[in-house]
């Protein structure tokens, strides 16, 4: 059984733990040979791979990043022949054949799953593994990498809290998550943020300013705002994507955190500062939860290979590790539901969503 593995898209903690889970279970339960494909789909297109030795999967459980390397090969360009004149889909199919693979395990986020589905439609045996700090893959309660990023972003908020209080400042912390607010919601709640701004709940800046004023009336002269990088105002939400982009290019600060801080300084008497932890949220060792989840996901992928069940991606549903058809989840968004229990709980403790 020849199993190809690749990691594609933005990296995250837990990728190596998942690779290790696949490999160890495959060596144990299948007569497996594992082929490591370099730098995501790029390696499959270019035929850049190596036959892995068992020892290469040792000592990587706690290691951040990915031992295979990764790249972004946007799905929208997969069928586009670019300047290099390479038919990418044809090249991937040919290299899959040349490697004599029985199946391909693709670890990645939304884009990776769309390409995995495309390759599955093209007749390859593909299994997906859902990783991303954004937790925005449809059909799984959690992706691996998410909880580690929540811990990192929470730690940032904790550290900011003390300096915000000392200086009586409003601190605006911009948290990753692409178009989804999961990471900001969880880190914001865990870090005790006063305001949480999410793409799913467009904000009104006047309402955010009112939170600062109301807190001052109560003798609380500092405020913590956790803002998702994809958060938008109610005016922006009413615009078409292109129009919104153009409006952002026009304003003083493109970044949402800086833009909000500047607006709040005009609307209130409070001094504002911004913090953008950025890629720190994707770096370093996975937390214990992600080590376990990644391992379980990897083992389940090996189980699916043994069963000959392809065209699926591994998922967590409640306490169960299960799988979904790639065709059912690829390209389906998983936004935070503004009416969900967790949002209601946050509102019940007076966290403002700026709406
Ligand atoms: O998808 C993970 C993620 O970190 C997003 O939260 C963020 O928007 C994006 O990747 C950043 O991408 P890049 O690493 O290419 O700058």
């Amino acid at each position: 059984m020849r199993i190809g593995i690749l990691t594609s898209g933005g990296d995250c903690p837990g990728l190596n733990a998942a690779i290790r889970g696949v490999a160890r279970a495959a060596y144990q339960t299948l007569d497996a040979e594992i082929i490591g494909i370099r730098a995501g789909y790029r390696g499959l297109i270019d035929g850049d791979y190596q036959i892995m030795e068992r020892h290469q999967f040792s000592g990587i459980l706690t290691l951040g990043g990915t031992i295979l390397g990764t790249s972004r090969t946007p799905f929208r360009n997969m069928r586009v022949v670019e300047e290099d004149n390479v038919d990418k889909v044809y090249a991937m199919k040919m290299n899959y054949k040349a490697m004599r693979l029985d199946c391909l395990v693709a670890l990645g986020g939304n884009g990776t799953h769309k390409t995995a589905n495309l390759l599955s439609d093209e007749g390859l045996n593909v299994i997906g593994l859902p990783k991303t700090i954004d937790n925005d893959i449809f059909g799984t309660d959690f992706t691996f990498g998410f909880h580690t990023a929540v811990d990192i972003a929470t730690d940032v908020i904790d550290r900011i809290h003390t300096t915000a209080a000392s200086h009586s400042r409003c601190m605006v912390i911009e948290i990753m998550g692409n178009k989804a607010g999961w990471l900001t919601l969880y880190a914001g709640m865990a870090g005790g943020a006063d305001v949480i701004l999410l793409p799913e709940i467009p904000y009104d800046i006047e309402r955010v300013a009112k939170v600062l004023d109301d807190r001052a009336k109560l003798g609380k002269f500092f405020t913590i705002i956790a803002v998702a990088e994809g958060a938008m105002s109610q005016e922006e939400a009413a615009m078409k994507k292109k129009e919104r982009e153009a409006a952002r290019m026009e304003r003083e600060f493109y970044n949402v955190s800086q833009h909000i801080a500047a607006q709040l300084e005009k609307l209130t008497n409070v001094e504002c500062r911004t913090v953008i932890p950025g890629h720190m949220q994707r770096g370093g060792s996975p937390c214990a939860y992600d080590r376990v989840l990644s391992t379980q996901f990897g083992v389940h992928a090996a189980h699916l290979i043994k069963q000959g069940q392809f065209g699926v991606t591994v998922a967590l549903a409640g306490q169960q590790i299960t799988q979904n058809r790639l065709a059912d989840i690829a390209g389906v968004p998983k936004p935070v539901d503004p009416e969900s229990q967790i949002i209601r709980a946050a509102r019940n403790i007076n966290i403002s969503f700026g709406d």
Side-chain angles (χ1 to χ4, degrees):
M1 177 66 79
R2 285 172 69 92
I3 304 168
I5 304 189
L6 61 80
T7 53
S8 178
D11 71 342
C12 76
L15 279 167
N16 289 324
I19 292 171
R20 170 180 173 269
V22 178
R24 285 177 76 134
Y27 286 136
Q28 194 156 309
T29 60
L30 299 156
D31 182 18
E33 182 151 49
I34 298 184
I35 290 88
I37 299 163
R38 292 278 316 153
Y41 289 117
R42 194 72 257 164
L44 190 56
I45 294 165
D46 296 344
D48 184 4
Y49 59 89
Q50 68 166 125
I51 295 171
M52 306 288 285
E53 305 286 342
R54 276 180 189 233
H55 71 85
Q56 291 180 278
F57 301 106
S58 281
I60 62 169
L61 172 65
T62 62
L63 196 64
T66 160
I67 58 165
L68 297 174
T70 187
S71 65
R72 291 197 187 275
T73 319
F75 172 74
R76 64 176 176 279
N77 294 340
M78 275 301 175
R79 291 206 183 270
V80 179
V81 176
E82 293 172 271
E83 280 162 14
D84 56 8
N85 234 359
V86 174
D87 180 332
K88 295 187 265 296
V89 177
Y90 178 78
M92 286 193 281
K93 286 165 69 177
M94 284 303 111
N95 282 322
Y96 179 95
K97 257 196 185 163
M99 286 183 242
R100 292 183 290 110
L101 295 184
D102 294 298
C103 66
L104 172 70
V105 181
L107 290 73
N110 273 314
T112 304
H113 278 81
K114 285 195 244 177
T115 299
N117 187 40
L118 179 159
L119 293 176
S120 174
D121 282 348
E122 290 284 332
L124 307 191
N125 292 332
V126 187
I127 293 177
L129 278 180
K131 71 85 219 184
T132 164
I133 65 164
D134 304 340
N135 194 37
D136 61 348
I137 298 185
F138 185 77
T140 185
D141 292 350
F142 291 116
T143 53
F144 63 86
F146 173 66
H147 280 89
T148 307
V150 170
D151 286 354
I152 297 168
T154 302
D155 185 50
V156 171
I157 298 175
D158 287 349
R159 287 170 191 280
I160 290 302
H161 234 119
T162 54
T163 166
S166 309
H167 285 267
S168 299
R169 282 174 175 158
C170 169
M171 303 294 286
V172 186
I173 303 142
E174 182 174 315
I175 297 174
M176 274 187 171
N178 198 11
K179 292 176 195 143
W182 294 104
L183 186 50
T184 309
L185 175 61
Y186 273 66
M189 282 184 77
D194 308 295
V195 180
I196 298 179
L197 303 178
L198 308 178
E200 295 87 348
I201 307 178
Y203 64 86
D204 172 351
I205 196 68
E206 304 269 351
R207 287 194 177 260
V208 180
K210 188 167 180 308
V211 174
L212 273 58
D213 289 340
D214 289 349
R215 282 174 61 77
K217 281 180 202 146
L218 294 172
K220 295 176 179 177
F221 297 103
F222 73 95
T223 299
I224 302 290
I225 302 180
V227 56
E229 62 180 352
M232 57 182 94
S233 67
Q234 292 175 353
E235 300 83 65
E236 286 177 312
M239 295 176 189
K240 292 210 170 71
K241 196 177 164 195
K242 272 195 176 161
E243 205 186 330
R244 188 161 59 234
E245 266 310 297
R248 285 178 180 172
M249 297 300 279
E250 289 290 299
R251 69 193 191 193
E252 190 183 1
F253 296 107
Y254 180 87
N255 273 60
V256 65
S257 54
Q258 287 167 308
H259 176 63
I260 286 174
Q263 282 183 301
L264 290 175
E265 282 205 335
K266 282 184 195 138
L267 292 169
T268 67
N269 292 322
V270 183
E271 194 182 13
C272 299
R273 291 283 192 276
T274 56
V275 179
I276 307 179
H279 289 79
M280 266 174 56
Q281 294 162 98
R282 292 215 318 243
S285 187
C287 66
Y289 181 95
D290 277 334
R291 292 178 198 181
V292 176
L293 186 67
S294 304
T295 303
Q296 282 188 284
F297 275 6
V299 170
H300 194 68
H303 168 74
L304 292 168
I305 295 169
K306 194 167 183 198
Q307 303 289 312
Q309 212 177 327
F310 302 113
V312 293
T313 189
V314 177
L316 175 71
Q319 300 289 315
Q320 291 300 312
I321 307 294
T322 177
Q323 66 283 333
N324 293 310
R325 276 163 29 94
L326 285 168
D328 293 340
I329 64 100
V332 183
K334 191 184 91 173
V336 173
D337 175 1
E339 305 303 328
S340 57
Q341 204 176 26
I342 185 169
I343 296 282
R344 288 204 307 274
R347 289 195 195 276
N348 283 339
I349 57 163
N350 207 24
I351 292 175
S352 166
F353 289 91
D355 57 338

